[in-house]
Amino acid sequence: MTATAPSAPAPGQTVGESPPSAIALHWSTRLQRLHQHLLNQGASPARTLVLVPYAQVMAQARLAWRQLGVGGLVPRFETTRNWAQQLAPFEPGELDFGQDPARNRVLAARLLEPSGVARLPVDLAPALIEQLLEAAAQLAPLAASVPPHERSDWGQQLRDDMAQLAPGAAASWEAMVQAVAIEWVRHSAFATDVLWQHALPGQALDAMVVLEGIQTDPLAEALAARWGGAALRLPLQVDAERHTPPVLHPCSDAQDEAQRAAACVLAELNAGHTPVALVAQDRVLTRRIHALLQGAGVPVRDETGWRLSTSHAAARLMAVLRACSPRASTDEVVDALKHMPCWPAPVADALERQWRQAEVSTWTAVCGSALLRETLPAGLESGFEALRAPRPLAQWLTDLAQVLRDWAVWPVLEGDLAGRALLRALWLVREPGAEPPAWLALAERKLSLSAFSAWLREVLEAANFVPPSPDHAPVIVLPMAQLLARPLAAVVAAGCDDVHLSAAPEPPGLWTPAQRERLGLPGREALGLAARAAWSQMLTQPRVHLLWRQHEGEEPVLPNPWVQVLLGQGGDADAETQDPRVARGLDWQPVRPPQPSAPALLPRSLSASAYSDLRDCPYRFFALRQLGLGELSELDTEPGKRDLGNWLHRVLKAFHEARPEPRALAEDLAALEPLAGEVAQAMGLDNAAFLPFRAAWPALRDGYLDWLHGFEERPGQAGPRFAEAEVSREADLRSWRIKGQLDRIDRQRSPEGDLAVVIDYKTESRSTTDARLRQPLEDTQLAFYAALLPDDTLRAAYLSLGEGQGGVAWLEQQDILAARDALLEGLPHDMDRLADGAPLPALGEGQACEYCAARGLCRKDFWTKHEHDT
């Protein structure tokens, strides 16, 4: 479904709506009362101030006044903040609580220092700073509603009252934070303080009117109180019944909910209903819906914005900082390189391929390898090191700005609207020659890279970014509370489940119920009433769509209690009949298993794993070996079974090469133990993630040495002796060549001479290794390794090193010669057939399909179902 491009209506007007809406009638009634009040007071509209609850109502109020038809001058419809900005510019004092999250965070840390917060554990101090900022943000509107000359006494009385209401010694830190928050706002000046000089009766104004929103504005109420009975208060809440029952949309999950919400918006637009409001309940869900609407070409005006921390600019900046950490993974460094325009994309791609092939997962391992270090771009390592030493915040910002310029990240941020907002929020951009802001000098403590990164994240999380958008866009994103008195054609409210829309919101902050009551902060009951009022106002709109998900991941989710009331009243919530999406019919095209043939792409040499691929599934051989689409190793900091296997191979190789002859068990133990740590360090595995493997090492080590001594010293004869480890071999089979690397070759004396003993280490489960031996002709690996040796007689076995399952076990292939002869005959035959053009079908059977890198290419998940259906 696509949206048409309806012409934008005038504010407050809906397309195709002939009678006035309930909200338009509501505005007319309220403003008639306002006009009558002015006549009774003998007040001029030009000298009348009307305070509205939020900025978006100002234009609607002016329009409604003009539509009233009384003529003459128009009253001033303002919010308190907008009025203050017009009266006088405001610059906060040195320690004033303000609107700048970066500045507030520095001031909060400084104000807590005398209380000993600097000496707290590193994870507790940021939590107290966050609590102080939250407490001060809640108190600031209350403090601003007190005249400046009375604010100090007001704060002192609050401190005394809070001391009496303190919850006890167990909450001493919380009580300290509350006391500091009161002191902070008590001695702060606010931008709206100028209003106390202009809102007095008979000076600049003849009348004061407050249009009351859903929640009380403390400052507006305090200013109106100065006027006494002369001030008029008019509630903006609409008392009319809803037009039509809301349409209920139960959705399966968040993705389904986003798609249906976008479809609801498009359906209303295509029906000529504009503007449509999209209620912002769930930030992530709203972004999804916004993206779907943008993809449909629908202009959207977002009045809520989003956190700067969720922008692409923030992701770019934090990627750079993560890569500077000495504990950075190679994955994080590659991510940062792809955000640095100073190096072209092929540089990052080449380094990524190289590091994957070398199987290095940490930046430390890259710098520790002379070969890998030589391939690093000039200036990369030194740039990372330049941002590692602790320094004061002011120096951090200066150095970060320079590094961003050196790596050409700065122009990218400046070219993006959110990027410019980020640079301003972090005070990275200033006028040429301007000194750093004075409050930065208060941040004297040196911050580590991790502490500075945490400060950046917290500032960006607190900073809001509202992108520019068309004034008359057909879709408006706004909070539910700001639907109040907004004449709209339709409302789409997604996220109406009991998780994202609570009927009883939890009061924020540290304050107890008794403290909230004394402070004048809304308690749980007041917040619940306000939420209910916002919900009721939304239902007065002409057309309302309510959507909720039934599952959040694997967990079931219930609809909001208010939605449950509507369901109990007979509301239709059929997921199929209410689905606004339009189904498209597609002709079914059966997908058959592929059977490619590519004789020109046959490799001239084969490894054991390549031949195993051919036997398990010819199509896997075609995709991975002929087309060369094999997967590269993941750049992952978490070691896995493969890392354990490589580590054991290297440890045992080093151990045996330094042990030419058998020796006492105690000597072997003393030699083997330090090798484990040395090899782990050389492989970059000496980290916390490898601890589970190291914890299992003592049992594995002791089990291996016990097996080794029993293996070498057999009753009545000398056992095999180590000869070589990690041995590369090649051999010709007619016109084909085979190659491989053998884990280990031992030699054993026999009447026929020295007998080769091929050993392959296995860290897989014992049952998997046992299964290999049950069918000798199906086990390619040992037979392949045996074929690489020229010996006429030999032995071959797997040495199981898996954890548990009885420890180390010797699992010998008794029919190795028969298996080798079968492979010597079968491999050339198979390859000759492929060279003659035989197809390579996708078998799609057995365990080979469960962990196959080519599964997405063969389309097994599609053709298997179709084959079954037919």
Side-chain angles (χ1 to χ4, degrees), residues 5-15 269 272-275 299 301 470-475:
S7 59
Q13 192 176 15
T14 56
V15 174
L269 295 180
H273 303 147
T274 58
R301 184 170 84 250
D471 290 335
H472 299 297
V475 179

Side-chain angles (χ1 to χ4, degrees), residues 8 290 294 298-303 467-477:
H290 194 167
Q294 284 184 325
V298 178
V300 177
R301 184 170 84 250
D302 190 343
E303 296 181 359
S469 54
D471 290 335
H472 299 297
V475 179
I476 308 169
V477 180

